[in-house]
Amino acid sequence: MSIKIQTNLDYEAFCEELGLTLEELLHIVNNKDKHLSPPQTIVPLVQVIDEYVNNIKKLEKLNRRSETTLSTYLNFLERVKAFVNKNQPNLSVSELNEDIIYELLDDSTPRKNEKLSPNTVNKYMAIVRSVLKYALLRGYTEKDLRNKFTLGTISTLPRYLNDLQAKEVLNRALQKTYGYRKRAMLLFLLGTGCRVSELTNLKVCDFIVDENLIFIRKGKGNKERYIPIFNKVKTTVLNYLKMSGVEKWSPDIKGYLFSPDEGLEREKKVLDRSVQYLVRGLFDSMGLGKDYTVHTFRHTFAVNCLKNGIREEILMQMLGHEDPKTTAIYTKLKSQDLKEEVMKYYPFPFEELLKDMI
């Protein structure tokens, strides 16, 4: 009698992660003995990359990766292909190593004396490891080669703005062309903690004024959530809408909230890269380094929430995090802020004890 084996594994999600279709996964399982035997031919790396890219493109609609992440994958793998075709066109997937990737990164860095951040290097190594995982599952390699590409352990402080910096960046945004829109976008980011892609995909009808809620329709992993509207954000956005031709908010307005279009139609949306370019220019003018990006507004929101008593599990839901460890990053304060927070409670009993001892 056959025994039915049940599992809670989400096969669709598993296939998405590997860049495979369900049919291809079944083919691999049905031919597992062939997979365990050495490959009959040497498979060029560029061929594996092409197959991997084609698979993740086919699964694009179902993929849990955001548009930005998917674009990063595709752009980096195109750079790898170009580099390999130029220098070692016959390189096999088994011959790929860290030295080749580091050589590629050194060769393609815009400024030769500018080092890539550990986070960026980790991101590229993770992409390479995903390709090698695909190669292993397709039987193109005998061994799991992912351990050849190490991911560094990184402990970073959140890059957030203090109150004066936040005020300055908003004032500078207001001086720009269409400054009323640009300032409203940045204040929205500061007051909601939204990702830039969530901001640009927001519709007027998602800004639910009657219930003081914001519907985030396209978060990371295409997950939806609601977040509260703080009064300052609500006032700012409603004023912006009036200035851009929407006298009164209505749930019937289906156009984009932040749009270069004026009036009720609002068919075009502000692009992610436009917001990123705006923020980079503002931060450069303020003397803030490259570590400060559009994501800094999200960090600033999170740190301020925690400093003002919002519990981590609540903040986790507001930010759309799945892992509490991700939210916990925001509990780390800059040294000056840490000192100020601690000194609020000065003198502590230990300080009094030290006085007695002295």
Side-chain angles (χ1 to χ4, degrees):
M1 182 179 70
S2 62
I3 299 174
K4 185 177 180 180
I5 300 175
Q6 294 183 331
T7 175
N8 293 323
L9 180 64
D10 186 341
Y11 291 103
E12 187 177 271
F14 183 66
C15 289
E16 290 173 26
E17 180 64 26
L18 299 179
L20 296 170
T21 64
L22 185 57
E23 290 75 14
E24 287 169 331
L25 179 63
L26 289 172
H27 174 77
I28 292 169
V29 172
N30 292 332
N31 292 275
K32 58 183 182 297
D33 293 334
K34 294 180 182 178
H35 163 67
L36 294 173
S37 61
Q40 299 299 311
T41 57
I42 296 175
V43 183
L45 175 64
V46 291
Q47 176 188 326
V48 177
I49 291 176
D50 281 337
E51 288 187 22
Y52 177 78
V53 166
N54 286 335
N55 273 285
I56 61 175
K57 282 182 176 178
K58 280 193 292 185
L59 294 168
E60 187 172 354
K61 290 185 179 179
L62 298 174
N63 211 299
R64 284 181 167 81
R65 297 184 183 95
S66 67
E67 291 179 13
T68 303
T69 302
L70 187 61
S71 176
T72 300
Y73 268 60
L74 298 179
N75 290 338
F76 177 68
L77 291 175
E78 279 300 315
R79 287 166 56 192
V80 174
K81 275 181 56 183
F83 183 82
V84 170
N85 281 329
K86 178 182 175 182
N87 297 285
Q88 301 182 61
N90 296 318
L91 184 76
S92 72
V93 65
S94 300
E95 293 172 319
L96 183 64
N97 56 48
E98 274 192 345
D99 290 341
I100 293 171
I101 297 300
Y102 279 117
E103 188 180 346
L104 156 69
L105 295 178
D106 289 340
D107 188 60
S108 58
T109 301
R111 299 183 182 90
K112 294 297 181 182
N113 59 346
E114 182 180 323
K115 291 184 67 175
L116 293 173
S117 71
N119 273 323
T120 301
V121 174
N122 266 4
K123 176 175 64 180
Y124 293 144
M125 291 301 180
I127 295 173
V128 173
R129 284 163 64 100
S130 66
V131 173
L132 293 175
K133 185 176 182 179
Y134 173 83
L136 176 68
L137 289 167
R138 293 305 301 263
Y140 293 152
T141 61
E142 296 178 278
K143 303 177 183 177
D144 187 346
L145 303 174
R146 286 174 292 174
N147 59 4
K148 292 166 61 177
F149 296 83
T150 55
L151 298 179
T153 302
I154 299 170
S155 178
T156 57
L157 290 171
R159 302 295 180 185
Y160 58 94
L161 304 172
N162 61 38
D163 292 345
L164 290 177
Q165 290 171 327
K167 185 176 180 179
E168 182 178 354
V169 76
L170 291 175
N171 288 337
R172 286 175 181 259
L174 190 58
Q175 305 307 313
K176 298 283 186 180
T177 307
Y178 298 106
Y180 63 93
R181 181 173 68 234
K182 292 171 180 174
R183 181 182 183 276
M185 288 192 302
L186 299 191
L187 192 140
F188 184 90
L189 291 173
L190 276 173
T192 63
C194 283
R195 303 175 179 93
V196 65
S197 60
E198 294 169 348
L199 169 104
T200 56
N201 283 295
L202 203 66
K203 303 291 183 69
V204 175
C205 58
D206 298 333
F207 194 75
I208 310 170
V209 174
D210 295 342
E211 300 180 38
N212 287 320
L213 288 171
I214 303 168
F215 175 55
I216 304 300
R217 63 173 59 244
K218 197 173 183 183
K220 192 172 185 179
N222 291 325
K223 294 180 177 65
E224 300 173 346
R225 70 184 190 280
Y226 286 91
I227 59 175
I229 302 174
F230 291 108
N231 285 333
K232 184 64 176 176
V233 174
K234 181 177 179 178
T235 302
T236 299
V237 172
L238 289 177
N239 287 340
Y240 154 69
L241 285 173
K242 285 183 180 179
M243 295 183 71
S244 64
V246 180
E247 284 297 321
K248 186 177 180 181
W249 174 87
S250 167
D252 298 326
I253 303 174
K254 306 302 180 185
Y256 288 102
L257 179 62
F258 295 107
S259 169
D261 295 333
E262 302 280 315
L264 300 178
E265 295 300 323
R266 314 179 80 85
E267 294 181 356
K268 295 179 183 177
K269 68 175 183 176
V270 173
L271 300 177
D272 291 11
R273 62 176 177 271
S274 298
V275 182
Q276 292 161 349
Y277 180 79
L278 166 68
V279 171
R280 182 69 267 146
L282 292 170
F283 284 167
D284 283 345
S285 69
M286 293 169 59
L288 295 175
K290 302 298 181 185
D291 287 339
Y292 288 82
T293 67
V294 69
H295 217 62
T296 292
F297 294 98
R298 184 169 166 86
H299 290 196
T300 304
F301 171 81
V303 169
N304 283 331
C305 283
L306 292 172
K307 286 171 69 175
N308 285 280
I310 292 180
R311 302 198 310 273
E312 281 187 48
E313 62 269 26
I314 301 300
L315 179 61
M316 178 179 167
Q317 292 182 45
M318 292 173 66
L319 295 175
H321 287 161
E322 291 189 346
D323 189 344
K325 292 178 182 177
T326 307
T327 311
I329 291 171
Y330 301 119
T331 62
K332 298 179 182 179
L333 300 177
K334 294 177 184 174
S335 56
Q336 180 63 28
D337 288 334
L338 180 63
K339 183 185 77 172
E340 290 174 2
E341 287 294 309
V342 171
M343 296 307 286
K344 284 180 184 178
Y345 305 99
Y346 174 87
F348 347 128
F350 182 69
E351 179 71 14
E352 293 298 322
L353 177 62
L354 284 180
K355 286 183 181 177
D356 292 341
M357 290 173 63
I358 292 171

